[in-house]
Amino acid sequence: MNRPYVDVSIAGGPNSQVILDTGSRGLVVPPQDVNFASLGAPTGTGTVTYGDGGNTVTENYTTYSATVNFGNGIISQPTKVAVVTSVTQTQNGQTTNFPASDGLPVLGIGGSNLVGPLTTSPVQALPGTLDQGVLLNEPAGTAQFGANPLTALTSSSGAPVTTLKVSVNGGTPVTVSDAFVDSGGLWGDVPASLGTGSAGGYVPQGTTLTVYTASNVAIYHETVGAAPTAPAVVSGANGLFNTGNFPFETIPIYLSYNPLNTGTLFYDA
Protein backbone atom coordinates (compact mmCIF):
# COMPACT_ATOMS: atom_id res chain seq x y z
CA MET A 1 0.00 0.00 0.00
CA ASN A 2 2.88 2.38 -0.68
CA ARG A 3 3.66 2.95 2.99
CA PRO A 4 6.53 1.82 5.24
CA TYR A 5 5.72 -0.50 8.15
CA VAL A 6 7.51 -1.54 11.35
CA ASP A 7 6.72 -4.14 14.00
CA VAL A 8 6.17 -3.14 17.62
CA SER A 9 4.97 -4.77 20.82
CA ILE A 10 2.97 -2.65 23.26
CA ALA A 11 3.28 -3.37 27.00
CA GLY A 12 4.49 -6.89 26.28
CA GLY A 13 1.51 -7.62 24.03
CA PRO A 14 1.43 -9.19 20.56
CA ASN A 15 3.69 -8.08 17.74
CA SER A 16 1.84 -5.46 15.69
CA GLN A 17 2.62 -4.13 12.23
CA VAL A 18 2.10 -0.36 12.15
CA ILE A 19 2.44 2.32 9.47
CA LEU A 20 5.61 4.39 10.04
CA ASP A 21 4.10 7.80 9.39
CA THR A 22 6.06 11.07 9.35
CA GLY A 23 2.82 12.94 8.63
CA SER A 24 1.22 12.35 12.03
CA ARG A 25 2.21 11.98 15.65
CA GLY A 26 1.42 9.31 18.23
CA LEU A 27 0.82 5.56 18.28
CA VAL A 28 -2.73 4.51 17.38
CA VAL A 29 -3.64 0.82 17.08
CA PRO A 30 -6.80 -1.32 16.82
CA PRO A 31 -7.75 -3.34 19.91
CA GLN A 32 -6.43 -6.69 18.64
CA ASP A 33 -2.89 -5.19 18.66
CA VAL A 34 -2.74 -4.93 22.46
CA ASN A 35 -3.13 -7.10 25.55
CA PHE A 36 -5.56 -5.18 27.75
CA ALA A 37 -4.47 -7.14 30.82
CA SER A 38 -1.01 -5.55 30.61
CA LEU A 39 -2.10 -2.04 29.59
CA GLY A 40 -3.35 -0.86 32.96
CA ALA A 41 -5.97 1.80 33.53
CA PRO A 42 -7.14 4.15 30.76
CA THR A 43 -5.78 7.70 30.89
CA GLY A 44 -8.16 9.51 28.55
CA THR A 45 -10.05 9.54 25.25
CA GLY A 46 -9.77 11.38 21.96
CA THR A 47 -10.28 11.46 18.22
CA VAL A 48 -7.80 11.55 15.34
CA THR A 49 -8.44 12.00 11.60
CA TYR A 50 -6.15 10.79 8.81
CA GLY A 51 -6.33 11.85 5.16
CA ASP A 52 -7.61 15.05 3.60
CA GLY A 53 -10.23 16.48 1.28
CA GLY A 54 -12.95 13.99 0.41
CA ASN A 55 -11.20 10.90 1.78
CA THR A 56 -10.72 10.70 5.55
CA VAL A 57 -10.60 8.08 8.28
CA THR A 58 -11.63 9.21 11.78
CA GLU A 59 -10.74 7.02 14.75
CA ASN A 60 -12.04 7.45 18.27
CA TYR A 61 -9.71 6.02 20.88
CA THR A 62 -8.94 5.43 24.56
CA THR A 63 -5.41 6.22 25.74
CA TYR A 64 -3.09 4.25 28.02
CA SER A 65 0.47 4.68 29.29
CA ALA A 66 2.66 1.82 28.11
CA THR A 67 6.10 0.85 26.89
CA VAL A 68 6.70 0.26 23.18
CA ASN A 69 9.17 -2.44 22.14
CA PHE A 70 10.73 -1.91 18.69
CA GLY A 71 12.83 -5.09 18.84
CA ASN A 72 16.61 -5.49 19.12
CA GLY A 73 16.40 -4.37 22.76
CA ILE A 74 14.94 -0.94 21.86
CA ILE A 75 12.17 -0.27 24.37
CA SER A 76 10.61 3.12 25.15
CA GLN A 77 9.79 4.61 28.49
CA PRO A 78 6.04 4.53 29.26
CA THR A 79 4.37 6.72 26.63
CA LYS A 80 0.86 7.47 25.42
CA VAL A 81 -0.75 4.70 23.35
CA ALA A 82 -4.16 5.18 21.74
CA VAL A 83 -6.38 2.11 21.24
CA VAL A 84 -9.15 2.51 18.66
CA THR A 85 -12.75 2.21 19.87
CA SER A 86 -14.61 3.11 16.63
CA VAL A 87 -13.85 4.03 13.02
CA THR A 88 -15.64 6.25 10.49
CA GLN A 89 -14.57 6.64 6.87
CA THR A 90 -15.76 9.45 4.60
CA GLN A 91 -15.24 9.21 0.85
CA ASN A 92 -16.70 11.80 -1.52
CA GLY A 93 -19.35 12.76 1.03
CA GLN A 94 -20.35 9.17 1.83
CA THR A 95 -19.76 8.16 5.47
CA THR A 96 -19.40 4.54 6.60
CA ASN A 97 -18.93 3.16 10.11
CA PHE A 98 -16.51 0.31 10.72
CA PRO A 99 -15.67 -1.80 13.79
CA ALA A 100 -12.68 -0.81 15.90
CA SER A 101 -10.77 -3.82 14.61
CA ASP A 102 -10.65 -2.17 11.17
CA GLY A 103 -8.78 0.84 12.53
CA LEU A 104 -5.54 1.97 10.90
CA PRO A 105 -2.48 1.00 12.97
CA VAL A 106 -0.29 4.10 12.80
CA LEU A 107 3.01 5.01 14.45
CA GLY A 108 3.12 8.76 13.91
CA ILE A 109 6.73 9.95 14.23
CA GLY A 110 6.26 13.57 13.14
CA GLY A 111 7.78 16.44 15.07
CA SER A 112 6.29 19.19 17.18
CA ASN A 113 5.24 21.44 14.28
CA LEU A 114 2.26 19.17 13.69
CA VAL A 115 -1.16 20.14 15.02
CA GLY A 116 -3.25 17.33 16.48
CA PRO A 117 -4.60 15.62 19.59
CA LEU A 118 -1.59 13.32 20.08
CA THR A 119 1.38 15.45 21.05
CA THR A 120 4.36 13.09 21.22
CA SER A 121 5.95 10.32 19.21
CA PRO A 122 6.97 7.14 21.05
CA VAL A 123 10.38 7.61 19.41
CA GLN A 124 10.84 10.63 21.68
CA ALA A 125 10.38 8.30 24.68
CA LEU A 126 13.33 6.09 23.70
CA PRO A 127 16.31 5.96 26.09
CA GLY A 128 19.63 7.76 25.71
CA THR A 129 20.34 9.35 22.34
CA LEU A 130 17.87 7.13 20.48
CA ASP A 131 15.24 9.86 20.92
CA GLN A 132 17.09 12.32 18.65
CA GLY A 133 15.32 11.23 15.49
CA VAL A 134 14.71 8.41 13.03
CA LEU A 135 16.16 7.51 9.64
CA LEU A 136 13.68 6.06 7.15
CA ASN A 137 15.83 4.20 4.64
CA GLU A 138 13.24 2.51 2.47
CA PRO A 139 15.74 1.72 -0.31
CA ALA A 140 17.58 -0.43 2.25
CA GLY A 141 14.38 -1.63 3.98
CA THR A 142 15.41 -0.25 7.39
CA ALA A 143 14.51 2.30 10.05
CA GLN A 144 17.17 3.49 12.51
CA PHE A 145 16.83 5.54 15.69
CA GLY A 146 19.31 8.03 17.11
CA ALA A 147 21.64 10.43 15.28
CA ASN A 148 21.68 10.51 11.49
CA PRO A 149 24.13 7.76 10.44
CA LEU A 150 24.38 8.99 6.83
CA THR A 151 25.66 12.12 5.09
CA ALA A 152 23.00 14.73 4.39
CA LEU A 153 22.98 16.23 0.90
CA THR A 154 20.58 18.97 1.99
CA SER A 155 17.93 19.72 4.61
CA SER A 156 14.75 21.67 5.25
CA SER A 157 13.43 23.29 8.41
CA GLY A 158 10.36 21.60 9.89
CA ALA A 159 9.58 17.93 10.34
CA PRO A 160 7.35 17.05 8.58
CA VAL A 161 5.78 20.44 7.79
CA THR A 162 8.24 22.48 5.77
CA THR A 163 8.63 24.87 2.85
CA LEU A 164 9.42 23.33 -0.54
CA LYS A 165 9.41 24.36 -4.18
CA VAL A 166 7.73 22.34 -6.94
CA SER A 167 8.37 22.44 -10.67
CA VAL A 168 5.71 20.94 -12.96
CA ASN A 169 6.93 19.63 -16.32
CA GLY A 170 10.14 21.63 -16.06
CA GLY A 171 8.40 24.93 -15.34
CA THR A 172 9.48 27.60 -12.87
CA PRO A 173 9.53 26.17 -9.32
CA VAL A 174 6.64 27.43 -7.19
CA THR A 175 6.96 27.80 -3.42
CA VAL A 176 4.64 25.53 -1.43
CA SER A 177 4.57 26.63 2.20
CA ASP A 178 3.40 24.24 4.91
CA ALA A 179 4.09 21.26 2.65
CA PHE A 180 4.04 17.77 4.19
CA VAL A 181 6.92 15.35 3.67
CA ASP A 182 4.68 12.44 4.51
CA SER A 183 5.71 8.77 4.47
CA GLY A 184 2.12 7.80 5.32
CA GLY A 185 0.59 9.98 2.60
CA LEU A 186 0.32 7.25 -0.04
CA TRP A 187 0.73 8.87 -3.49
CA GLY A 188 0.50 12.44 -2.22
CA ASP A 189 -1.50 15.58 -3.03
CA VAL A 190 -0.82 18.45 -5.43
CA PRO A 191 -2.81 21.70 -5.24
CA ALA A 192 -4.77 22.62 -8.36
CA SER A 193 -3.10 26.04 -8.25
CA LEU A 194 0.05 24.39 -9.64
CA GLY A 195 -1.80 23.67 -12.88
CA THR A 196 -1.96 19.88 -12.67
CA GLY A 197 -5.69 19.45 -13.23
CA SER A 198 -9.00 19.99 -11.47
CA ALA A 199 -9.55 19.38 -7.76
CA GLY A 200 -11.06 15.97 -7.10
CA GLY A 201 -9.09 14.31 -9.88
CA TYR A 202 -5.54 13.04 -10.27
CA VAL A 203 -2.36 14.55 -11.65
CA PRO A 204 -2.20 13.38 -15.30
CA GLN A 205 -0.06 10.36 -16.05
CA GLY A 206 3.37 11.34 -17.39
CA THR A 207 3.46 14.68 -15.54
CA THR A 208 6.90 15.36 -14.09
CA LEU A 209 7.28 16.86 -10.61
CA THR A 210 10.67 18.08 -9.42
CA VAL A 211 10.77 19.02 -5.75
CA TYR A 212 13.35 21.38 -4.24
CA THR A 213 14.14 22.76 -0.80
CA ALA A 214 13.35 26.42 -0.17
CA SER A 215 17.00 27.15 -1.02
CA ASN A 216 16.59 25.59 -4.50
CA VAL A 217 18.39 22.29 -3.93
CA ALA A 218 16.67 19.43 -5.78
CA ILE A 219 15.44 16.60 -3.53
CA TYR A 220 13.66 14.23 -5.92
CA HIS A 221 12.09 13.91 -9.37
CA GLU A 222 8.85 12.02 -9.98
CA THR A 223 7.17 10.98 -13.22
CA VAL A 224 3.52 10.45 -12.31
CA GLY A 225 1.96 7.06 -12.99
CA ALA A 226 -1.64 6.17 -13.79
CA ALA A 227 -4.58 6.91 -11.50
CA PRO A 228 -5.53 5.89 -8.86
CA THR A 229 -1.87 5.47 -7.87
CA ALA A 230 -1.11 9.07 -8.84
CA PRO A 231 -1.08 12.19 -6.64
CA ALA A 232 -4.55 13.57 -6.00
CA VAL A 233 -5.36 17.11 -7.09
CA VAL A 234 -6.73 19.14 -4.19
CA SER A 235 -8.27 22.59 -3.95
CA GLY A 236 -6.89 25.49 -1.98
CA ALA A 237 -3.58 27.25 -1.64
CA ASN A 238 -0.11 25.94 -2.44
CA GLY A 239 0.40 24.87 1.17
CA LEU A 240 -1.64 21.70 0.57
CA PHE A 241 1.22 19.94 -1.23
CA ASN A 242 1.94 16.46 0.18
CA THR A 243 4.88 14.43 -1.11
CA GLY A 244 3.34 11.08 -0.27
CA ASN A 245 5.73 8.19 0.19
CA PHE A 246 7.51 8.58 -3.17
CA PRO A 247 10.63 10.44 -1.94
CA PHE A 248 11.12 7.90 0.86
CA GLU A 249 11.15 5.13 -1.75
CA THR A 250 13.84 7.04 -3.63
CA ILE A 251 16.28 8.32 -0.99
CA PRO A 252 16.97 7.88 2.75
CA ILE A 253 15.33 10.67 4.75
CA TYR A 254 16.22 11.45 8.37
CA LEU A 255 13.70 13.18 10.64
CA SER A 256 15.34 15.05 13.51
CA TYR A 257 13.38 16.35 16.50
CA ASN A 258 15.85 19.21 16.84
CA PRO A 259 15.38 22.10 17.12
CA LEU A 260 12.62 21.27 19.59
CA ASN A 261 9.81 23.45 18.24
CA THR A 262 10.24 22.74 14.53
CA GLY A 263 12.50 19.75 13.81
CA THR A 264 14.58 19.27 10.65
CA LEU A 265 14.42 16.94 7.66
CA PHE A 266 17.71 15.71 6.19
CA TYR A 267 17.81 14.28 2.69
CA ASP A 268 20.68 11.80 2.73
CA ALA A 269 23.12 10.34 0.21
mmCIF file of all heavy atoms in Angstrom, residues 30-62:
data_model
loop_
_atom_site.group_PDB
_atom_site.id
_atom_site.type_symbol
_atom_site.label_atom_id
_atom_site.label_comp_id
_atom_site.label_asym_id
_atom_site.label_seq_id
_atom_site.Cartn_x
_atom_site.Cartn_y
_atom_site.Cartn_z
ATOM 1 N N PRO A 30 -5.512 -0.674 16.542
ATOM 2 C CA PRO A 30 -6.796 -1.320 16.821
ATOM 3 C C PRO A 30 -6.675 -2.241 18.034
ATOM 4 O O PRO A 30 -5.562 -2.611 18.444
ATOM 5 C CB PRO A 30 -7.072 -2.116 15.536
ATOM 6 C CG PRO A 30 -5.724 -2.350 14.930
ATOM 7 C CD PRO A 30 -4.893 -1.160 15.288
ATOM 8 N N PRO A 31 -7.787 -2.623 18.629
ATOM 9 C CA PRO A 31 -7.752 -3.340 19.910
ATOM 10 C C PRO A 31 -7.057 -4.696 19.857
ATOM 11 O O PRO A 31 -6.497 -5.141 20.861
ATOM 12 C CB PRO A 31 -9.228 -3.478 20.293
ATOM 13 C CG PRO A 31 -9.993 -3.257 19.031
ATOM 14 C CD PRO A 31 -9.180 -2.309 18.222
ATOM 15 N N GLN A 32 -7.064 -5.373 18.716
ATOM 16 C CA GLN A 32 -6.426 -6.689 18.645
ATOM 17 C C GLN A 32 -4.896 -6.600 18.704
ATOM 18 O O GLN A 32 -4.216 -7.619 18.835
ATOM 19 C CB GLN A 32 -6.853 -7.432 17.373
ATOM 20 C CG GLN A 32 -6.378 -6.828 16.065
ATOM 21 C CD GLN A 32 -7.383 -5.833 15.479
ATOM 22 O OE1 GLN A 32 -8.191 -5.269 16.210
ATOM 23 N NE2 GLN A 32 -7.316 -5.638 14.185
ATOM 24 N N ASP A 33 -4.347 -5.375 18.630
ATOM 25 C CA ASP A 33 -2.894 -5.194 18.662
ATOM 26 C C ASP A 33 -2.345 -4.980 20.072
ATOM 27 O O ASP A 33 -1.150 -4.704 20.230
ATOM 28 C CB ASP A 33 -2.490 -4.000 17.789
ATOM 29 C CG ASP A 33 -2.564 -4.323 16.309
ATOM 30 O OD1 ASP A 33 -2.976 -5.447 15.969
ATOM 31 O OD2 ASP A 33 -2.212 -3.462 15.484
ATOM 32 N N VAL A 34 -3.203 -5.116 21.091
ATOM 33 C CA VAL A 34 -2.742 -4.932 22.463
ATOM 34 C C VAL A 34 -3.272 -6.053 23.353
ATOM 35 O O VAL A 34 -4.242 -6.738 23.009
ATOM 36 C CB VAL A 34 -3.184 -3.572 23.051
ATOM 37 C CG1 VAL A 34 -2.601 -2.411 22.261
ATOM 38 C CG2 VAL A 34 -4.708 -3.466 23.101
ATOM 39 N N ASN A 35 -2.638 -6.222 24.498
ATOM 40 C CA ASN A 35 -3.128 -7.102 25.548
ATOM 41 C C ASN A 35 -3.658 -6.206 26.666
ATOM 42 O O ASN A 35 -2.879 -5.575 27.388
ATOM 43 C CB ASN A 35 -1.984 -7.989 26.057
ATOM 44 C CG ASN A 35 -2.420 -8.903 27.189
ATOM 45 O OD1 ASN A 35 -3.568 -8.861 27.631
ATOM 46 N ND2 ASN A 35 -1.502 -9.714 27.676
ATOM 47 N N PHE A 36 -4.974 -6.116 26.788
ATOM 48 C CA PHE A 36 -5.560 -5.176 27.749
ATOM 49 C C PHE A 36 -5.149 -5.502 29.182
ATOM 50 O O PHE A 36 -5.079 -4.607 30.030
ATOM 51 C CB PHE A 36 -7.083 -5.152 27.607
ATOM 52 C CG PHE A 36 -7.558 -4.394 26.405
ATOM 53 C CD1 PHE A 36 -7.879 -5.060 25.236
ATOM 54 C CD2 PHE A 36 -7.679 -3.014 26.433
ATOM 55 C CE1 PHE A 36 -8.310 -4.368 24.102
ATOM 56 C CE2 PHE A 36 -8.113 -2.297 25.320
ATOM 57 C CZ PHE A 36 -8.421 -2.985 24.152
ATOM 58 N N ALA A 37 -4.859 -6.764 29.463
ATOM 59 C CA ALA A 37 -4.466 -7.145 30.820
ATOM 60 C C ALA A 37 -3.160 -6.485 31.244
ATOM 61 O O ALA A 37 -2.934 -6.250 32.437
ATOM 62 C CB ALA A 37 -4.345 -8.664 30.911
ATOM 63 N N SER A 38 -2.296 -6.168 30.275
ATOM 64 C CA SER A 38 -1.010 -5.552 30.612
ATOM 65 C C SER A 38 -0.996 -4.045 30.406
ATOM 66 O O SER A 38 -0.005 -3.386 30.734
ATOM 67 C CB SER A 38 0.105 -6.185 29.778
ATOM 68 O OG SER A 38 -0.083 -5.942 28.398
ATOM 69 N N LEU A 39 -2.084 -3.480 29.881
ATOM 70 C CA LEU A 39 -2.095 -2.043 29.589
ATOM 71 C C LEU A 39 -2.303 -1.182 30.827
ATOM 72 O O LEU A 39 -1.852 -0.047 30.882
ATOM 73 C CB LEU A 39 -3.200 -1.723 28.575
ATOM 74 C CG LEU A 39 -2.847 -1.839 27.100
ATOM 75 C CD1 LEU A 39 -4.027 -1.398 26.246
ATOM 76 C CD2 LEU A 39 -1.618 -1.026 26.746
ATOM 77 N N GLY A 40 -3.038 -1.687 31.796
ATOM 78 C CA GLY A 40 -3.347 -0.865 32.960
ATOM 79 C C GLY A 40 -4.588 -0.034 32.738
ATOM 80 O O GLY A 40 -5.392 -0.288 31.832
ATOM 81 N N ALA A 41 -4.756 0.983 33.561
ATOM 82 C CA ALA A 41 -5.971 1.802 33.534
ATOM 83 C C ALA A 41 -5.934 2.809 32.389
ATOM 84 O O ALA A 41 -4.878 3.327 32.047
ATOM 85 C CB ALA A 41 -6.132 2.538 34.860
ATOM 86 N N PRO A 42 -7.089 3.110 31.793
ATOM 87 C CA PRO A 42 -7.140 4.150 30.763
ATOM 88 C C PRO A 42 -6.733 5.510 31.332
ATOM 89 O O PRO A 42 -6.925 5.790 32.517
ATOM 90 C CB PRO A 42 -8.610 4.156 30.333
ATOM 91 C CG PRO A 42 -9.150 2.834 30.754
ATOM 92 C CD PRO A 42 -8.405 2.475 32.003
ATOM 93 N N THR A 43 -6.202 6.365 30.465
ATOM 94 C CA THR A 43 -5.780 7.704 30.894
ATOM 95 C C THR A 43 -6.561 8.816 30.213
ATOM 96 O O THR A 43 -6.414 9.983 30.571
ATOM 97 C CB THR A 43 -4.287 7.909 30.607
ATOM 98 O OG1 THR A 43 -4.055 7.749 29.194
ATOM 99 C CG2 THR A 43 -3.441 6.916 31.379
ATOM 100 N N GLY A 44 -7.396 8.472 29.225
ATOM 101 C CA GLY A 44 -8.156 9.512 28.549
ATOM 102 C C GLY A 44 -8.794 8.984 27.274
ATOM 103 O O GLY A 44 -8.723 7.788 26.964
ATOM 104 N N THR A 45 -9.436 9.873 26.531
ATOM 105 C CA THR A 45 -10.052 9.535 25.248
ATOM 106 C C THR A 45 -9.752 10.640 24.254
ATOM 107 O O THR A 45 -9.312 11.728 24.622
ATOM 108 C CB THR A 45 -11.579 9.360 25.380
ATOM 109 O OG1 THR A 45 -12.143 10.584 25.873
ATOM 110 C CG2 THR A 45 -11.924 8.229 26.329
ATOM 111 N N GLY A 46 -9.999 10.360 22.980
ATOM 112 C CA GLY A 46 -9.770 11.376 21.964
ATOM 113 C C GLY A 46 -10.191 10.891 20.592
ATOM 114 O O GLY A 46 -10.723 9.793 20.425
ATOM 115 N N THR A 47 -9.927 11.738 19.606
ATOM 116 C CA THR A 47 -10.278 11.458 18.217
ATOM 117 C C THR A 47 -9.161 11.952 17.316
ATOM 118 O O THR A 47 -8.623 13.045 17.521
ATOM 119 C CB THR A 47 -11.591 12.164 17.833
ATOM 120 O OG1 THR A 47 -12.642 11.728 18.697
ATOM 121 C CG2 THR A 47 -11.971 11.870 16.391
ATOM 122 N N VAL A 48 -8.812 11.147 16.310
ATOM 123 C CA VAL A 48 -7.805 11.551 15.338
ATOM 124 C C VAL A 48 -8.350 11.283 13.946
ATOM 125 O O VAL A 48 -9.087 10.313 13.727
ATOM 126 C CB VAL A 48 -6.467 10.804 15.571
ATOM 127 C CG1 VAL A 48 -6.623 9.302 15.364
ATOM 128 C CG2 VAL A 48 -5.357 11.372 14.692
ATOM 129 N N THR A 49 -8.001 12.152 12.984
ATOM 130 C CA THR A 49 -8.440 11.996 11.602
ATOM 131 C C THR A 49 -7.221 11.933 10.693
ATOM 132 O O THR A 49 -6.322 12.771 10.776
ATOM 133 C CB THR A 49 -9.352 13.153 11.171
ATOM 134 O OG1 THR A 49 -10.537 13.148 11.986
ATOM 135 C CG2 THR A 49 -9.764 13.011 9.712
ATOM 136 N N TYR A 50 -7.208 10.937 9.805
ATOM 137 C CA TYR A 50 -6.153 10.787 8.810
ATOM 138 C C TYR A 50 -6.738 11.060 7.427
ATOM 139 O O TYR A 50 -7.913 10.802 7.174
ATOM 140 C CB TYR A 50 -5.570 9.370 8.841
ATOM 141 C CG TYR A 50 -4.960 8.985 10.163
ATOM 142 C CD1 TYR A 50 -5.603 8.080 11.005
ATOM 143 C CD2 TYR A 50 -3.751 9.522 10.586
ATOM 144 C CE1 TYR A 50 -5.049 7.721 12.222
ATOM 145 C CE2 TYR A 50 -3.195 9.165 11.813
ATOM 146 C CZ TYR A 50 -3.852 8.267 12.624
ATOM 147 O OH TYR A 50 -3.299 7.916 13.828
ATOM 148 N N GLY A 51 -5.892 11.559 6.514
ATOM 149 C CA GLY A 51 -6.335 11.853 5.163
ATOM 150 C C GLY A 51 -6.654 13.321 5.006
ATOM 151 O O GLY A 51 -6.339 14.150 5.866
ATOM 152 N N ASP A 52 -7.271 13.664 3.876
ATOM 153 C CA ASP A 52 -7.606 15.054 3.600
ATOM 154 C C ASP A 52 -8.686 15.096 2.532
ATOM 155 O O ASP A 52 -9.004 14.103 1.895
ATOM 156 C CB ASP A 52 -6.372 15.834 3.128
ATOM 157 C CG ASP A 52 -5.672 15.169 1.969
ATOM 158 O OD1 ASP A 52 -6.300 15.048 0.895
ATOM 159 O OD2 ASP A 52 -4.523 14.744 2.121
ATOM 160 N N GLY A 53 -9.239 16.293 2.340
ATOM 161 C CA GLY A 53 -10.232 16.478 1.284
ATOM 162 C C GLY A 53 -11.421 15.560 1.457
ATOM 163 O O GLY A 53 -12.008 15.463 2.527
ATOM 164 N N GLY A 54 -11.760 14.830 0.394
ATOM 165 C CA GLY A 54 -12.946 13.993 0.412
ATOM 166 C C GLY A 54 -12.708 12.574 0.850
ATOM 167 O O GLY A 54 -13.598 11.739 0.742
ATOM 168 N N ASN A 55 -11.508 12.273 1.368
ATOM 169 C CA ASN A 55 -11.205 10.901 1.783
ATOM 170 C C ASN A 55 -10.520 10.934 3.140
ATOM 171 O O ASN A 55 -9.326 11.238 3.223
ATOM 172 C CB ASN A 55 -10.324 10.219 0.746
ATOM 173 C CG ASN A 55 -10.132 8.742 1.052
ATOM 174 O OD1 ASN A 55 -10.659 8.219 2.027
ATOM 175 N ND2 ASN A 55 -9.353 8.061 0.222
ATOM 176 N N THR A 56 -11.271 10.657 4.200
ATOM 177 C CA THR A 56 -10.718 10.697 5.550
ATOM 178 C C THR A 56 -11.134 9.470 6.349
ATOM 179 O O THR A 56 -12.175 8.870 6.092
ATOM 180 C CB THR A 56 -11.171 11.956 6.317
ATOM 181 O OG1 THR A 56 -12.613 11.951 6.425
ATOM 182 C CG2 THR A 56 -10.719 13.229 5.626
ATOM 183 N N VAL A 57 -10.292 9.114 7.304
ATOM 184 C CA VAL A 57 -10.604 8.081 8.283
ATOM 185 C C VAL A 57 -10.505 8.715 9.665
ATOM 186 O O VAL A 57 -9.464 9.281 10.013
ATOM 187 C CB VAL A 57 -9.640 6.887 8.187
ATOM 188 C CG1 VAL A 57 -9.901 5.894 9.315
ATOM 189 C CG2 VAL A 57 -9.789 6.190 6.836
ATOM 190 N N THR A 58 -11.593 8.658 10.432
ATOM 191 C CA THR A 58 -11.630 9.209 11.782
ATOM 192 C C THR A 58 -11.709 8.060 12.779
ATOM 193 O O THR A 58 -12.577 7.184 12.653
ATOM 194 C CB THR A 58 -12.823 10.150 11.968
ATOM 195 O OG1 THR A 58 -12.676 11.258 11.071
ATOM 196 C CG2 THR A 58 -12.895 10.671 13.396
ATOM 197 N N GLU A 59 -10.788 8.080 13.744
ATOM 198 C CA GLU A 59 -10.736 7.021 14.750
ATOM 199 C C GLU A 59 -10.924 7.622 16.140
ATOM 200 O O GLU A 59 -10.179 8.525 16.534
ATOM 201 C CB GLU A 59 -9.392 6.285 14.661
ATOM 202 C CG GLU A 59 -9.167 5.631 13.313
ATOM 203 C CD GLU A 59 -7.873 4.843 13.219
ATOM 204 O OE1 GLU A 59 -6.916 5.142 13.968
ATOM 205 O OE2 GLU A 59 -7.818 3.923 12.389
ATOM 206 N N ASN A 60 -11.916 7.136 16.854
ATOM 207 C CA ASN A 60 -12.040 7.446 18.271
ATOM 208 C C ASN A 60 -11.188 6.457 19.046
ATOM 209 O O ASN A 60 -11.042 5.297 18.651
ATOM 210 C CB ASN A 60 -13.503 7.358 18.715
ATOM 211 C CG ASN A 60 -14.362 8.402 18.051
ATOM 212 O OD1 ASN A 60 -14.043 9.577 18.049
ATOM 213 N ND2 ASN A 60 -15.469 7.972 17.460
ATOM 214 N N TYR A 61 -10.637 6.896 20.162
ATOM 215 C CA TYR A 61 -9.713 6.021 20.884
ATOM 216 C C TYR A 61 -9.741 6.288 22.382
ATOM 217 O O TYR A 61 -10.203 7.349 22.850
ATOM 218 C CB TYR A 61 -8.283 6.185 20.355
ATOM 219 C CG TYR A 61 -7.747 7.610 20.445
ATOM 220 C CD1 TYR A 61 -7.304 8.158 21.642
ATOM 221 C CD2 TYR A 61 -7.674 8.402 19.301
ATOM 222 C CE1 TYR A 61 -6.823 9.452 21.717
ATOM 223 C CE2 TYR A 61 -7.188 9.695 19.359
ATOM 224 C CZ TYR A 61 -6.761 10.220 20.568
ATOM 225 O OH TYR A 61 -6.282 11.499 20.634
ATOM 226 N N THR A 62 -9.229 5.295 23.130
ATOM 227 C CA THR A 62 -8.940 5.427 24.557
ATOM 228 C C THR A 62 -7.431 5.352 24.721
ATOM 229 O O THR A 62 -6.774 4.538 24.059
ATOM 230 C CB THR A 62 -9.612 4.310 25.361
ATOM 231 O OG1 THR A 62 -11.031 4.422 25.197
ATOM 232 C CG2 THR A 62 -9.271 4.409 26.846
#
